[in-house]
Amino acid sequence: MEITTAKDGSSYVLTLTGRLDASWCDHVKHALDAAVRTGEHHVLLDMQAVSYISSAGLQVLLSHFKQLKAINGSLGVRHPSAGVREVLELAGLEMLFISDQPSPATSTTETSDTTTTEWEHTSASARFQVFGDHSPEPPISITTLGSIEGLVGGTAASPLQDHKFPPTAFGLGVGALGDDDNASARLGELLAVAGTVAYQPADGSNRPDFLVTQEALVPEAQLMLGMVGGKLPQRLARFETISGHRTVGLAELAATAMELSAAPAVAMVALTETAGLVGAALRQSPATAAARAERFGFPGVRDWLSFS
């Protein structure tokens, strides 16, 4: 991303060019902070040449909008690109526009009389507090995308496919956020669950990017390889270790998920502190790099994967 500054009357203008994603939001934040420190309290962001904005970028805009408003200043967006305007409108952030501001959309809050049940479950090392009813979960339809050969090498990568991920859907695979022509160069591990899409770009930025459901904004991603599904079960389990145990093994968590669901297969997402080997991440996009017969064989695997 390129950031240039100029004065326009009483306003301080930052012209942004590129993608306002997680890898660049800190640069924009620092530029805004520097402007405020020098006494510039009326700031305009010219975003005509910004092709994409993620939730990380939205957080920067919103936090500085509130900061400047609190000191009788202002932050506005002028000349937003079509993509930026759509995201801001869907996220309910039209107040950032300095002109041609649409009327705020009316929203309704849906209420539900569904009663959430709660019960406890104990495994060998942990005590679980489970939210959701005891009835068996209905089957979930899962669609697989692409070919694994495009990842391991020896053949061309599968074409990218667009998918939206509302809170009821989930997805897992190799993909990217943003629908521009360079998406193939950023492909990396992607996870979509509970209205949030997060992924690790394999373009050398080493900064995970994400999109979160906000107002009418529904995260959308492009997938080269993976699986997607809908009607995500609303079952949540919180857990803590029991006396005499300091950790809970992944195998135990998986076995407990199987037991709680009473299903032949499960998909689970865990928010935990981890110790030891976490996993591996792509070092380069499989869609742009040259095909190799043994992409994950030693020693070539070192060019493709980094381990944590």
Side-chain angles (χ1 to χ4, degrees):
M1 168 168 281
E2 296 182 3
I3 304 174
T4 57
T5 61
K7 287 287 289 186
D8 187 357
S10 60
S11 297
Y12 187 75
V13 181
L14 275 72
T15 300
L16 311 181
T17 302
R19 292 170 54 87
L20 183 46
D21 55 15
S23 63
W24 283 101
C25 64
D26 281 349
H27 297 272
V28 176
K29 177 181 181 300
H30 293 156
L32 288 169
D33 288 340
V36 175
R37 283 196 302 268
T38 58
E40 301 290 352
H41 293 169
H42 297 280
V43 182
L44 295 178
L45 296 176
D46 191 308
M47 303 184 72
Q48 186 172 8
V50 176
S51 59
Y52 167 80
I53 181 171
S54 71
S55 289
L58 291 179
Q59 289 179 351
V60 170
L61 300 191
L62 189 57
S63 64
H64 283 80
F65 174 84
K66 293 178 179 178
Q67 175 188 353
L68 286 166
K69 185 177 181 181
I71 58 176
N72 295 321
S74 63
L75 174 69
V77 173
R78 75 177 187 184
H79 307 146
S81 65
V84 170
R85 175 178 285 275
E86 180 182 16
V87 170
L88 291 176
E89 289 177 345
L90 291 174
L93 299 179
E94 299 95 330
M95 71 283 195
L96 293 173
F97 295 134
I98 65 165
S99 63
D100 200 21
Q101 180 173 338
S103 301
T106 58
S107 61
T108 59
T109 302
E110 295 184 0
T111 59
S112 173
D113 58 1
T114 302
T115 301
T116 300
T117 59
E118 175 184 341
W119 78 95
E120 289 191 355
H121 176 87
T122 302
S123 65
S125 306
R127 181 180 298 106
F128 293 79
Q129 185 181 19
V130 187
F131 299 86
D133 58 45
H134 284 273
S135 60
E137 296 287 358
I140 300 174
S141 175
I142 295 177
T143 302
T144 57
L145 307 172
S147 169
I148 190 67
E149 295 302 324
L151 179 64
V152 301
T155 186
S158 303
L160 302 186
Q161 299 186 41
D162 291 329
H163 279 275
K164 289 189 175 182
F165 293 100
T168 55
F170 66 94
L172 177 70
V174 176
L177 292 173
D179 58 358
D180 56 279
D181 295 335
N182 295 323
S184 294
R186 299 189 308 273
L187 295 178
E189 293 83 359
L190 181 145
L191 174 66
V193 66
T196 299
V197 177
Y199 95 112
Q200 176 67 58
D203 59 357
S205 64
N206 297 319
R207 188 73 180 271
D209 200 17
F210 62 96
L211 271 176
V212 180
T213 298
Q214 184 174 344
E215 298 287 341
L217 174 63
V218 177
E220 186 171 358
Q222 296 193 71
L223 284 170
M224 181 200 85
L225 173 71
M227 61 182 184
V228 297
K231 297 183 180 179
L232 186 69
Q234 300 299 310
R235 184 168 291 178
L236 170 70
R238 297 191 177 114
F239 66 94
E240 60 182 1
T241 55
I242 58 180
S243 178
H245 296 271
R246 296 184 59 188
T247 62
V248 184
L250 180 59
E252 185 175 339
L253 289 178
T256 302
M258 294 285 290
E259 186 175 352
L260 292 176
S261 67
V266 297
M268 66 178 187
V269 176
L271 180 62
T272 65
E273 292 184 358
T274 60
L277 181 66
V278 176
L282 286 169
R283 297 172 64 96
Q284 51 185 315
S285 170
T288 57
R292 299 178 184 177
E294 295 185 5
R295 186 173 286 178
F296 297 129
F298 187 80
V301 67
R302 294 180 297 186
D303 298 327
W304 288 95
L305 291 180
S306 61
F307 297 90
S308 59

